[in-house]
Amino acid sequence: MKSIQQWLEEYGESHQNPKNKLIHWVCVPMIYFTIIGLLYSIPIQFGEIAGLKVNIGSIIAVLIFIYYCTLSLKIAFGMLIFTLISLFLSELLFQVTGGYIGLAITCIVLFIISWIFQFWGHEIEGKKPSFIKDLQYLMIGPAWVISFFYKKMGIQL
């Protein structure tokens, strides 16, 4: 099994151009948020904890956290914070947009726009997206963003 450093280094190979990096720093978190939001918009609810619905989105979020724990506890902690923010924003959008459909439409639009920018970034970079090589890179992208945030804060992985 690859270490988190190996995953991040391999992912970083196709993200060297400053414009592509900037696009990814914005769009990767947006895509992650929209996926959480889309899952949160599935109208199956098992209860509520701290103002958040216990639903498909929150259950998948726990599984995602477990995945990141297998890679790095520090990355998992950062992703836990971002996931909780995503869940709270999903609940806020749920309320502001009038429910499940409004949340889903908002997330779909943001998802599509973010992917358009991502592919444009790779056009600028001149390299194919990492997930074409291995779908697991779809999960490494958010960890890559978190790792940059950690570097700025002086946190070692």
Side-chain angles (χ1 to χ4, degrees), residues 28-45:
V28 166
M30 183 63 69
I31 289 168
Y32 183 85
F33 160 71
T34 60
I35 291 170
I36 295 293
L38 282 168
L39 292 168
Y40 196 80
S41 73
I42 297 171
I44 300 171
Q45 190 172 337

Side-chain angles (χ1 to χ4, degrees), residues 11 14-15 19-30 117-119 121-122 129 141 144-145:
Y11 186 87
S14 61
H15 303 88
K19 287 181 185 174
N20 188 32
K21 280 184 178 180
L22 178 60
I23 289 168
H24 278 67
W25 289 335
V26 173
C27 292
V28 166
M30 183 63 69
F117 275 98
Q118 293 262 94
F119 282 111
H122 280 286
W144 181 76
V145 173

